[in-house]
Amino acid sequence: MTGDLVVAATVGTARRGLDLDRLPDELRPAGPADEPAVALLDAAALSAVARRCTPRPSSPADPSAAATAPAETRPEIPDAVRQELVRMRTHEAVLVEAITAIDRAGLRLPPDLVPVLLDDPRTAVRSAAAGPVGGAIGGLLTVLNPRWAAAGGPDPDDPRVWDDGTLLDRTRWLRARRRVDPDGARALLADGFTREPAASRVELLAALSVNLGPADQDLLLAAVGDRSRAVVMAALDLLTRIPQSPLRRDMQTLAARHLVVRRRLLRPPVITLTDPTPQEFAPWPAPDHDPWTTVLSRIDPVDWPTVFGADLLPLVGAPELRPLRPGFRRAAVTFRHADLAFVLVRQQLDVAADAGPTPVVDAGLWAVLAPDALTACFERLLADPRVRPGHLSPLLDALERPWPIGVSRRLGPWLATSGAVGIPAARPLWDAWAERTALADCPEIAGLARQIIERASGENASALVSRASPAVRILTLRAVLHGALPRPEGSR
């Protein structure tokens, strides 16, 4: 009978019925059974607690010990939010966002939705629904199904995954361990690291990016001498992220030797540029491509004034430094330097329209821009008649979510005509617009979307309405969610 109870609680009463009157008294939920799904979940919770509290066979049973479900510590979400969750089921990104917002608001999911979300085939949905947001019933159900428990992430205190898990499981566990015990996790990795296959060494070494610090240098320096090129590059990338690492100091010294900026009063500076030789990179691996790209990718632009005796940012466009632009790009992306990225993106936008049929859109640089700079550059990009939806898709995918309000405001009207193309953009771009707009901005952008539909006319009106209407529904759902959930202090 208990097995039937578990199955029914898992798949739902619509797919598996159960006569609750046949349950033992200690497992039969109290109160009226006018909501079968809720009563079933209460019974499942009581069953789990009873099973965990049952004495060992060697001990006499104690029939007086009644099992009770744990008390809830969070209030349940309002009914309006519950209805929106049901409507969001087909939109993975929006559903995950909603569950995350519920968790941050200190609320919990309704008991009847918890097993449905924990059993969702989409990993992101299961992970979002695991944990405190599932309430007491969620905690009990994860005991019944190990796959549901796994959705919440690995237990950093359980080393069995490290000993026996797959590479993916071990990497996830090591990252989790790094969050709570960086030194212990590094010691585990170092012990037996060289015995791991090369592919495993690369993935496991990357886990050091969590709480990376000077204490990790010895292991990384040893990995620079690894027999695998991929492991060496992974170690170099991590050493680049440690401000005072030997790698960064050596690259600064090498750069200062070959790039000299001599400032002059009231006149442009004199720039002297030479190429480093492969031998000068020792003891580090010599690059197999442009040496300056490698050197600049290891130097934080914040350190330029110290390294070169002058800030290179105003000089990035100088003709003498044109060969260094690939290195400048790598530095901007590696160190997330928004000002350098802004300079480089503006240079790309300044290229005349007759320079070629295709505009230059470097998604990696755009992803580094600060919100105001991103909005200004985005407006200029959309004004370029050469821009097509195919240019925007990778750019929009690269942007951090949620988007700044300026991007959302400008994208909607452009989608109506695809710029100079004259026809509505394809449905995926409309969906991206609706899903990646900031939650607090959804009421405004939903109104903008409705205006676009109301103004539709001509031979493309039908296509515009059919592509924009789903975006209106998504934006409206998210606007309702924003209005119904309490917001943490300091949020918009």
Side-chain angles (χ1 to χ4, degrees):
M1 187 64 190
T2 302
D4 294 339
L5 175 63
V6 173
V7 172
T10 302
V11 303
T13 56
R15 287 177 282 177
R16 180 68 174 266
L18 185 68
D19 185 1
L20 297 178
D21 292 334
R22 294 175 53 206
L23 291 173
D25 291 341
E26 64 270 17
L27 299 185
R28 191 178 304 141
D34 51 349
E35 295 189 33
V38 175
L40 175 61
L41 290 170
D42 287 344
L46 292 171
S47 173
V49 173
R51 192 166 60 253
R52 296 173 70 183
C53 296
T54 299
R56 297 174 183 266
S58 58
S59 304
D62 182 5
S64 65
T68 58
E72 295 287 2
T73 59
R74 293 182 171 203
E76 189 175 319
I77 57 174
D79 188 60
V81 177
R82 184 193 185 285
Q83 294 175 17
E84 300 310 315
L85 280 178
V86 174
R87 296 189 181 103
M88 293 174 184
R89 286 289 307 280
T90 58
H91 302 286
E92 178 179 356
V94 179
L95 180 60
V96 170
E97 174 191 49
I99 298 172
T100 303
I102 291 169
D103 189 29
R104 289 175 179 168
L107 303 178
R108 62 179 171 88
L109 297 165
D112 59 314
L113 288 185
V114 173
V116 176
L117 294 172
L118 287 176
D119 206 40
D120 194 282
R122 297 163 293 188
T123 302
V125 175
R126 294 198 306 271
S127 297
V133 73
I137 191 66
L140 289 168
L141 288 177
T142 57
V143 174
L144 303 177
N145 190 329
R147 186 168 68 88
W148 290 348
D155 179 1
D157 294 323
D158 184 359
R160 290 176 298 177
V161 177
W162 177 253
D163 295 332
D164 305 321
T166 65
L167 174 58
L168 179 60
D169 291 337
R170 296 177 72 216
T171 303
R172 288 175 174 171
W173 183 88
L174 189 62
R175 287 180 176 273
R177 188 66 186 170
R178 285 282 292 183
R179 294 186 183 97
V180 297
D181 182 13
D183 294 337
R186 182 181 59 255
L188 277 175
L189 178 60
D191 183 21
F193 179 73
T194 57
R195 296 190 296 272
E196 298 279 356
S200 298
R201 296 200 300 275
V202 173
E203 295 298 325
L204 295 173
L205 195 66
L208 291 183
S209 62
V210 179
N211 283 326
L212 181 68
D216 300 311
Q217 285 188 153
D218 288 346
L219 178 56
L220 294 174
L221 290 172
V224 171
D226 196 276
R227 58 189 178 275
S228 166
R229 175 76 172 174
V231 174
V232 172
M233 297 309 298
L236 291 173
D237 289 343
L238 289 171
L239 284 168
T240 300
R241 294 177 50 186
I242 301 176
Q244 300 301 321
S245 71
L247 172 64
R248 283 178 59 166
R249 291 199 304 267
D250 288 350
M251 293 301 104
Q252 290 173 6
T253 301
L254 183 58
R257 189 184 306 153
H258 289 274
L259 174 56
V260 178
V261 179
R262 184 164 59 87
R263 290 177 290 186
R264 299 185 296 177
L265 184 63
L266 302 179
R267 287 186 295 174
V270 175
I271 301 174
T272 303
L273 178 67
T274 57
D275 286 337
T277 64
Q279 293 75 19
E280 290 180 281
F281 281 87
W284 310 103
D288 52 10
H289 51 77
D290 171 42
W292 271 111
T293 299
T294 296
V295 171
L296 289 175
S297 70
R298 309 296 185 193
I299 302 175
D300 191 333
V302 171
D303 297 326
W304 284 355
T306 302
V307 174
F308 302 111
D311 187 1
L312 295 187
L313 197 59
L315 306 176
V316 166
E320 299 92 333
L321 297 182
R322 187 172 290 113
L324 304 189
R325 287 182 183 175
F328 290 146
R329 185 217 176 258
R330 286 277 299 275
V333 173
T334 298
F335 295 99
R336 312 294 295 175
H337 197 283
D339 290 341
L340 178 56
F342 186 38
V343 170
L344 296 174
V345 169
R346 280 192 307 176
Q347 288 180 355
Q348 295 172 353
L349 293 172
D350 287 340
V351 175
D354 59 359
T358 304
V360 177
V361 182
D362 188 330
L365 283 176
W366 282 76
V368 181
L369 295 176
D372 290 345
L374 172 60
T375 299
C377 291
F378 194 67
E379 186 169 16
R380 285 190 59 187
L381 179 66
L382 294 184
D384 188 334
R386 300 173 299 165
V387 173
R388 299 291 184 265
H391 300 132
L392 288 187
S393 292
L395 166 59
L396 296 175
D397 287 343
L399 297 184
E400 184 178 356
R401 306 174 193 181
W403 296 339
I405 180 62
V407 170
S408 295
R409 284 172 178 159
R410 287 157 179 79
L411 181 60
W414 190 92
L415 292 177
T417 62
S418 297
V421 177
I423 60 175
R427 170 77 181 275
L429 278 177
W430 289 95
D431 288 350
W433 180 49
E435 294 174 358
R436 300 172 194 174
T437 290
L439 199 62
D441 300 326
C442 283
E444 175 186 338
I445 302 304
L448 175 60
R450 283 189 286 270
Q451 290 177 9
I452 292 172
I453 291 177
E454 291 167 1
R455 295 170 183 170
S457 61
E459 59 182 357
N460 294 318
S462 176
L464 174 58
V465 171
S466 67
R467 297 175 189 180
S469 294
V472 172
R473 289 194 291 272
I474 294 173
L475 286 163
T476 302
L477 289 175
R478 298 180 68 221
V480 172
L481 179 69
H482 175 72
L485 284 179
R487 288 175 287 284
E489 266 187 62
S491 64
R492 292 175 59 197

